[in-house]
Amino acid sequence: MASMNKLGAVWTVLLGSAFLLCACGEEQPDVPDKSYIGVAYYNQSDTFLNELLDSFKEQLKEMQNEDMDTVVMVRDAAGVQRTQDDQVKELINAGCDVLCVNLVDRADPSEIIDMAREHEVPIIFFNREPVAEDLMQWDQIYYVGADAEESGVMQGELAADMIKNNSQTDRNRDGKIQYVVLEGEPGHQDAIIRTETAVKTLTDSGIELEKLSYQIANWNRAQAENRMEQLIGQYPNQIELVLSNNDDMALGAMDAYKKLNYTETALPVFFGIDGTDAGLEAVMDSELAGTVYNDKEGQAKAMAELCWALITGDGMEELEFQKERCIYLPYAKVTEENADEFIARSNTP
């Protein structure tokens, strides 16, 4: 009988140990089998952002596995910050695990930050960088983008090289380059920086410039075409250089000249920024003299990897942060000689 009691005690210990092991296993955090990522961006008419988000979705598809699926929910604010605030609230209420936000107004993220912090949903701001003070409001705020100053410098260098190597750019032979600038939004940090640094780089390169006009076209091709038609009427046959804050506006400026049936020899030289698909094709076709490639694939990959790390808890140490929680991707100069390389990159998910 004593032996039976001892055997029973052994079984009790073994069963108790097994129960404890199971209980310990249950206490381990489970990675969800489905995650939800909310994306809120300022305007669906922005060509660069649409291409970036397409790449972002492809990157996430490549990363997901049989243990976890990702669902991306996208909202377009149509240029209204109040609308974006409401959309972010909707995405949080829908159960999003991470928010990716391209701000309408980079100086007004406080309501979005407050909502996300209250519900403990990490935020990745992208493409439009909030001011430094706002990025420090919470330790779950991140930024993915590029350095606007670098893009302006590169655009200025591309234009300076063109002017120095092609005497035909100065069509009226007055020793100065008469130029116009097509800017993004009024007061937008990237627009201001791209314009100032491009012009400064040109003058620092020894190019004598004469400013004819700066025009706001809100990153939009149709608006740029309209502004350019007005400028052509105001300065007929005087414009020798068009510096555009993005490719869409540069293409819009070209559209204006085509609409007015200008011959190729009467055209100014056009430079863009972003390296959109249409912009790269225009460089290949010698319509745009050059553009500056904004690495949408690199930014999309960084966003996808950061989302994955925030959801699963794995891979954060492999990301290269600057200023604690920011990831910046470099720009690159694009001319007719290397445009095909960037077209190939753009077409690779």
Side-chain angles (χ1 to χ4, degrees):
M1 188 62 122
S3 297
M4 290 298 292
N5 286 339
K6 287 181 180 178
L7 186 59
V10 170
W11 276 109
T12 300
V13 171
L14 289 173
L15 288 170
S17 299
F19 176 79
L20 286 171
L21 286 171
C22 290
C24 289
E26 288 174 2
E27 289 174 5
Q28 299 303 312
D30 291 329
V31 175
D33 59 1
K34 182 172 285 190
S35 62
Y36 295 87
I37 298 170
V39 176
Y41 71 135
Y42 92 101
N43 200 316
Q44 67 176 359
S45 68
D46 191 297
T47 302
F48 173 78
L49 283 175
N50 286 325
E51 293 177 3
L52 187 154
L53 291 178
D54 285 344
S55 180
F56 174 63
K57 293 174 188 175
E58 289 297 326
Q59 297 280 357
L60 284 171
K61 278 183 185 177
E62 290 187 4
M63 294 174 66
Q64 66 188 24
N65 53 45
E66 60 183 15
D67 297 323
M68 188 169 75
D69 188 19
T70 54
V71 178
V72 181
M73 305 166 68
V74 180
R75 299 292 182 270
D76 162 35
V80 180
Q81 187 60 58
R82 179 72 258 172
T83 298
Q84 187 170 74
D85 293 344
D86 293 340
Q87 289 171 340
V88 168
K89 182 178 181 180
E90 174 195 338
L91 290 168
I92 291 173
N93 290 337
C96 286
D97 301 290
V98 180
L99 292 169
C100 297
V101 180
N102 167 249
L103 286 163
V104 174
D105 183 352
R106 62 178 291 271
D108 189 20
S110 293
E111 185 164 345
I112 289 174
I113 292 172
D114 290 344
M115 287 189 291
R117 180 167 47 195
E118 180 183 350
H119 292 85
E120 298 185 345
V121 181
I123 314 172
I124 302 170
F125 289 111
F126 67 98
N127 185 254
R128 294 180 173 213
E129 185 173 2
V131 297
E133 292 79 5
D134 288 325
L135 285 172
M136 300 307 295
Q137 283 193 43
W138 185 34
D139 64 3
Q140 291 297 296
I141 297 173
Y142 301 86
Y143 177 71
V144 175
D147 180 2
E149 182 174 348
E150 183 182 29
S151 65
V153 168
M154 287 187 176
Q155 186 184 62
E157 289 173 346
L158 284 169
D161 288 343
M162 163 69 75
I163 293 165
K164 290 176 179 179
N165 295 320
N166 186 354
S167 61
Q168 300 301 314
T169 307
D170 182 13
R171 293 200 314 271
N172 63 6
R173 301 290 190 270
D174 66 348
K176 297 180 290 186
I177 300 297
Q178 283 73 35
Y179 76 101
V180 300
V181 175
L182 294 173
E183 293 192 320
E185 299 164 49
H188 189 284
Q189 180 196 33
D190 283 9
I192 295 168
I193 292 174
R194 285 178 176 183
T195 295
E196 289 180 350
T197 54
V199 172
K200 183 177 186 300
T201 300
L202 274 161
T203 55
D204 287 350
S205 298
I207 307 298
E208 188 171 351
L209 299 173
E210 180 183 348
K211 180 182 75 175
L212 299 180
S213 183
Y214 285 14
Q215 290 289 318
I216 301 293
N218 293 300
W219 313 106
N220 184 274
R221 183 168 181 165
Q223 288 190 35
E225 179 181 353
N226 181 268
R227 301 290 183 276
M228 201 69 216
E229 282 190 53
Q230 296 172 14
L231 289 172
I232 293 168
Q234 188 175 356
Y235 303 103
N237 301 311
Q238 296 178 54
I239 303 169
E240 297 171 331
L241 170 66
V242 177
L243 297 173
S244 174
N245 285 170
N246 76 345
D247 286 350
D248 268 8
M249 294 188 295
L251 294 170
M254 288 166 41
D255 292 340
Y257 279 96
K258 290 178 182 178
K259 184 176 179 180
L260 296 171
N261 295 317
Y262 270 69
T263 63
E264 185 175 341
T265 55
L267 295 177
V269 290
F270 305 88
F271 289 92
I273 294 174
D274 277 344
T276 61
D277 293 347
L280 293 172
E281 291 292 344
V283 174
M284 278 289 290
D285 294 338
S286 302
E287 294 181 326
L288 277 184
T291 187
V292 179
Y293 196 76
N294 195 354
D295 186 3
K296 55 185 178 291
E297 293 79 27
Q299 291 177 38
K301 183 179 180 182
M303 286 170 59
E305 290 176 344
L306 183 50
C307 283
W308 193 264
L310 289 168
I311 292 167
T312 65
D314 294 328
M316 190 68 77
E317 67 282 353
E318 297 173 10
L319 298 171
E320 296 184 11
F321 291 105
Q322 299 177 42
K323 296 189 292 188
E324 294 188 30
R325 295 188 302 277
C326 297
I327 299 174
Y328 298 97
L329 280 298
Y331 288 94
K333 297 177 190 176
V334 183
T335 63
E336 188 176 354
E337 286 70 31
N338 66 352
D340 57 339
E341 300 172 20
F342 291 92
I343 290 173
R345 184 195 300 188
S346 185
N347 291 333
T348 301

